[in-house]
Amino acid sequence: MSGKPVSRPDAPAGGKPREKAKQRPSGSNFIRAIIDADLASGKYAARTWGGHPGPARVHEGAPKDPARIRTRFPPEPNGYLHIGHAKSICLNFGLARDYGGVCHLRFDDTNPAKEEQEYVDSIIEAVRWLGFDWGEHLYYASDYFDTLYEFAELFIRHGLAYVDSLTAEEMRDYRGTLFRPGRESPYRERPADENLALFRRMRAGEFPDGTHVLRLKIDMTSGNINLRDPVIYRIRHAAHHRTGDTWCIYPLYDYTHCISDALENITHSICTLEFEDHRPLYDWVLERLADFGALKRPLPQQIEFARLNLTYVVLSKRKLIQLVEEGHVDGWDDPRMPTIAGCRRRGYTPEAIRLFAERIGVAKENSTLDISILEECLRDDLNERAERRIAVLDPLRLVIDNYPEGAEEECRAPNHPQKPELGRRIVPFSRELWIEREDFTESPPQGYFRLYPGNSVRLRYGYVVKCTGCEKDAQGNVIAVHCEYAPETKSGTPGADKVKVKGAIHWLSAKHACAAEVRLYDRLFRVPQPGSERDVLEDINPGSKKIITAQLEPALRDAKPEERLQFERHGYFIADRVDSKPGVPVFNRAVTLRDSWAGTA
Ligand code: ATP
Ligand code: MG
């Protein structure tokens, strides 16, 4: 336990799924209104820090320009970041950018048991990839362990903190409930010098885990349980990923976070709604330290906003860790994971994620948004930017019987239908082609305009062909389709459109095409609220990953890792950054062209 709160059970979970968030100008959220008011009132202009008498403690390297706003993104390095964190990152870094301020990246690393360097590295990579820069302002809460300790002694000396020696169980009982006030611990009135001595012995490693804690002395009868003498230090004989064995007592989140904000001169400390009930404690700690002369006013202020919840994904770190550790997915960056690393491998662009953050805006009330809003942002971004290519995902051979054997020619296909400036490319044509299996049938349903015996279609960018029949294997499966082409119908030549046909299909020259592994990813969960009605693992969509061997345009053989393309009629794909090798690309489907889940929720 890191001592952080979990979501309140009464938080509304339903929201309005499927409703597309309106595009809001990014300037209109309530947090901006607070910042505007603070700037207008000159709240920070009065600060004279850096060179002048300033707060008693400012972390070395903390920004010295007082008039600017300062935000921070404070991840705990106990997992990979996910799309919910992306919302917070875009918000914090976006505000700093828009107001000419600074946003810090601070690792909130106070729990040695669950934190690892791998997570630190992945977080740094994810924030950078999203396009944000903290400059020199990379901090770790563990850098403040000395100061946090000194401040704890200050609280003790002022009679506002005491060493409690109740067992964890007794302490829970003494704390009371929402309906029952707490009771004061028998150790609450220990004299300051006794507390100080005990606290120093705790630090010196004289006591085993769980025997004593340091608590603030606030109010055991408060209606706000967070104010009932919160624990601020506990004994934990565990090595920390940065401080090693230097400490065997570690500060808790609520105590650490507000002080870290103050030490870094954060002006607006933006966090999710479940911390609302912790704000009085945040303010209490900082106000007392300012009273002691250890910090200078104006102090940072905490502002809460609604966390992001999305349908068809889980965003709880605990569940994400379970998916990875139990092997239900292929690691933290599995393209089906809602992690930033997973989104990246899936084919998301940083621009699409930032667009998403902007579209959904910032609210004061929790709700669950439909994942299709996120997917639509990717389509909107890639539709503009991704070049078009041809891929046949379920190949069936088409033989043009009246086309000369051994002959070949070039067809030209535009790289982007709306952007002639992106040019055209050559697609080779020959007697034997690959077409999609679904583009041929022997018995066409009504409205089927593709290949069936007697029908003509246009081979996109090529010729009009008329189907003459098909070949089957012993089991009756169609193994090749036959047709004849009309030489005067080549796309782009005069008179090519004289022959009118209703259908157009894509194709590739069989001898030129390149076979490649393509992964067709779909949503990881098959229900909008995974885990709400049964174990979350039972809600996994068994068809969320399908691996096929597709035929691709020859030029795709040299696709660069992370190159994103639209495969015509199929969706947007990305060359996998991990598994693609030179000349042997592997593609992941990022998203289909249309929302194939619409109406299923
Ligand atoms: P935990 O604290 O349980 O380990 P967490 O998801 O809160 O998990 P943190 O590393 O503490 O993870 O989060 C870093 C920041 O990201 C916090 O400021 C937190 O409020 C914010 N954040 C986390 N999840 C979301 C979300 N779903 N939507 C918006 N912001 C989020
Ligand atoms: Mg958290």
Side-chain angles (χ1 to χ4, degrees):
M1 264 289 295
S2 63
K4 299 189 199 177
V6 292
S7 284
R8 286 173 301 173
D10 60 343
K16 286 192 199 143
R18 309 232 134 264
E19 193 178 87
K20 197 160 174 168
K22 281 192 222 90
Q23 181 115 32
R24 296 185 194 82
S26 54
S28 65
N29 72 54
F30 71 97
I31 299 176
R32 283 168 195 269
I34 295 173
I35 295 176
D36 288 339
D38 287 343
L39 291 174
S41 73
K43 182 169 174 186
Y44 305 109
R47 299 216 287 205
T48 48
W49 292 345
H52 301 280
R57 290 285 188 301
V58 174
H59 179 66
E60 196 191 335
K64 301 291 191 296
D65 174 1
R68 299 160 84 189
I69 75 139
R70 218 156 268 119
T71 55
R72 85 287 170 266
F73 174 65
E76 181 177 355
N78 61 355
Y80 277 56
L81 297 181
H82 55 61
I83 189 77
H85 296 117
K87 172 179 177 177
S88 175
I89 293 168
C90 291
L91 175 62
N92 279 297
F93 281 93
L95 288 169
R97 176 199 59 213
D98 295 351
Y99 284 93
V102 182
C103 181
H104 299 186
L105 176 60
R106 181 201 312 142
F107 287 98
D108 164 23
D109 57 350
T110 53
N111 182 359
K114 292 190 179 168
E115 295 159 4
E116 286 172 27
Q117 188 60 38
E118 177 195 346
Y119 296 138
V120 171
D121 297 341
S122 76
I123 289 169
I124 287 182
E125 188 178 357
V127 180
R128 265 213 191 105
W129 178 78
L130 277 176
F132 297 109
D133 185 9
W134 49 90
E136 59 201 319
H137 303 294
L138 173 65
Y139 304 110
Y140 293 82
S142 55
D143 291 344
Y144 312 135
F145 280 172
D146 284 322
T147 310
L148 291 161
Y149 178 86
E150 261 179 64
F151 285 1
E153 288 207 348
L154 261 182
F155 277 108
I156 295 174
R157 272 193 245 117
H158 282 85
L160 290 176
Y162 62 98
V163 172
D164 200 354
S165 311
L166 291 177
T167 64
E169 206 178 309
E170 288 167 331
M171 210 177 301
R172 247 191 315 276
D173 180 47
Y174 274 80
R175 188 175 293 125
T177 65
L178 274 177
F179 311 102
R180 176 165 64 80
R183 283 174 294 139
E184 295 185 355
S185 162
Y187 302 100
R188 198 175 196 259
E189 299 309 327
R190 263 179 178 145
D193 49 352
E194 203 176 301
N195 282 316
L196 206 53
L198 273 172
F199 188 49
R200 288 179 179 169
R201 291 177 60 199
M202 281 167 64
R203 179 190 185 170
E206 292 187 26
F207 306 114
D209 289 7
T211 46
H212 305 282
V213 292
L214 186 70
R215 299 177 74 170
L216 292 176
K217 198 187 268 188
I218 308 182
D219 179 3
M220 288 308 291
T221 62
S222 173
N224 184 338
I225 293 183
N226 295 298
L227 295 180
R228 294 185 191 168
D229 291 8
V231 173
I232 60 169
Y233 266 93
R234 63 188 164 168
I235 303 172
R236 179 145 300 195
H237 291 269
H240 183 276
H241 74 113
R242 295 192 82 239
T243 57
D245 290 323
T246 311
W247 295 89
C248 61
I249 55 172
Y250 289 94
L252 273 89
Y253 176 81
D254 278 329
Y255 176 72
T256 308
H257 197 78
C258 55
I259 294 176
S260 304
D261 282 344
L263 294 176
E264 290 175 22
N265 293 341
I266 298 301
T267 55
H268 300 86
S269 178
I270 300 163
C271 62
T272 38
L273 279 180
E274 67 273 22
F275 289 97
E276 200 167 11
D277 295 344
H278 296 236
R279 194 185 338 126
L281 176 56
Y282 184 104
D283 291 339
W284 190 94
V285 170
L286 296 188
E287 290 292 346
R288 294 297 80 71
L289 286 167
D291 292 345
F292 305 156
L295 294 173
K296 198 149 176 102
R297 296 185 174 87
L299 297 164
Q301 65 170 313
Q302 176 181 305
I303 303 169
E304 308 87 16
F305 73 101
R307 70 194 295 117
L308 173 68
N309 298 306
L310 270 186
T311 56
Y312 295 99
V313 299
V314 294
L315 293 182
S316 132
K317 270 190 203 163
R318 190 176 53 74
K319 290 185 186 151
L320 293 173
I321 288 176
Q322 183 189 7
L323 289 172
V324 173
E325 288 187 346
E326 294 178 6
H328 304 290
V329 294
D330 307 323
W332 283 102
D333 66 348
D334 184 303
R336 293 165 294 175
M337 288 281 275
T339 52
I340 295 175
C343 289
R344 175 176 181 181
R345 237 184 126 181
R346 176 74 172 254
Y348 272 85
T349 57
E351 290 83 356
I353 294 176
R354 298 200 303 258
L355 178 65
F356 173 67
E358 198 168 304
R359 275 189 189 165
I360 62 175
V362 181
K364 252 310 201 188
E365 244 161 281
N366 279 318
S367 68
T368 300
L369 298 178
D370 198 87
I371 184 101
S372 62
I373 301 171
L374 175 64
E375 293 166 344
E376 200 57 22
C377 290
L378 181 60
R379 289 190 192 99
D380 288 353
D381 183 33
L382 290 183
N383 180 41
E384 288 293 310
R385 300 199 286 155
E387 292 202 354
R388 275 47 172 178
R389 294 290 183 267
I390 298 167
V392 178
L393 301 187
D394 187 8
L396 175 64
R397 199 168 278 268
L398 177 74
V399 184
I400 308 168
D401 292 304
N402 63 340
Y403 193 85
E405 294 230 25
E408 55 182 76
E409 65 187 286
E410 294 175 347
C411 294
R412 272 161 212 284
N415 287 324
H416 194 293
Q418 285 89 43
K419 300 196 170 174
E421 67 277 14
L422 292 179
R424 292 161 164 264
R425 68 198 187 280
I426 289 167
V427 184
F429 185 85
S430 67
R431 187 169 186 270
E432 293 203 3
L433 309 177
W434 292 119
I435 60 168
E436 295 293 345
R437 189 162 286 275
E438 61 165 34
D439 287 344
F440 169 78
T441 178
E442 283 187 284
S443 38
Q446 217 185 352
Y448 187 91
F449 298 121
R450 290 167 278 169
L451 282 174
Y452 55 90
N455 193 41
S456 295
V457 299
R458 173 165 293 283
L459 299 175
R460 232 171 164 200
Y461 318 121
Y463 294 94
V464 171
V465 294
K466 181 172 185 174
C467 181
T468 55
C470 65
E471 282 172 54
K472 294 181 184 175
D473 65 11
Q475 287 77 45
N477 301 312
V478 176
I479 51 170
V481 177
H482 286 264
C483 67
E484 290 183 345
Y485 84 119
E488 72 282 5
T489 59
K490 186 173 183 183
S491 289
T493 60
D497 323 320
K498 280 209 187 112
V499 180
K500 297 280 183 232
V501 288
K502 285 196 171 155
I505 63 172
H506 65 268
W507 52 274
L508 288 170
S509 164
K511 72 174 169 201
H512 297 92
C514 135
E517 178 177 325
V518 172
R519 297 157 181 176
L520 301 178
Y521 289 110
D522 201 345
R523 294 177 184 171
L524 181 58
F525 294 100
R526 57 199 168 91
V527 296
Q529 313 279 350
S532 61
E533 282 171 26
R534 56 190 86 73
D535 189 90
V536 73
L537 299 179
E538 288 174 41
D539 285 332
I540 289 182
N541 169 11
S544 62
K545 176 184 178 184
K546 201 170 139 205
I547 300 182
I548 59 168
T549 301
Q551 296 290 338
L552 310 179
E553 264 184 52
L556 287 174
R557 193 174 280 127
D558 302 315
K560 289 182 275 307
E562 299 213 276
E563 199 171 333
R564 298 178 187 86
L565 299 154
Q566 185 194 98
F567 291 171
E568 291 188 18
R569 293 170 68 199
H570 291 307
Y572 295 97
F573 289 71
I574 184 169
D576 190 81
R577 59 193 289 254
V578 177
D579 296 324
S580 292
K581 301 280 170 301
V584 192
V586 172
F587 279 94
N588 301 332
R589 181 170 69 197
V591 66
T592 51
L593 290 180
R594 267 168 293 282
D595 182 3
S596 55
W597 289 68
T600 60

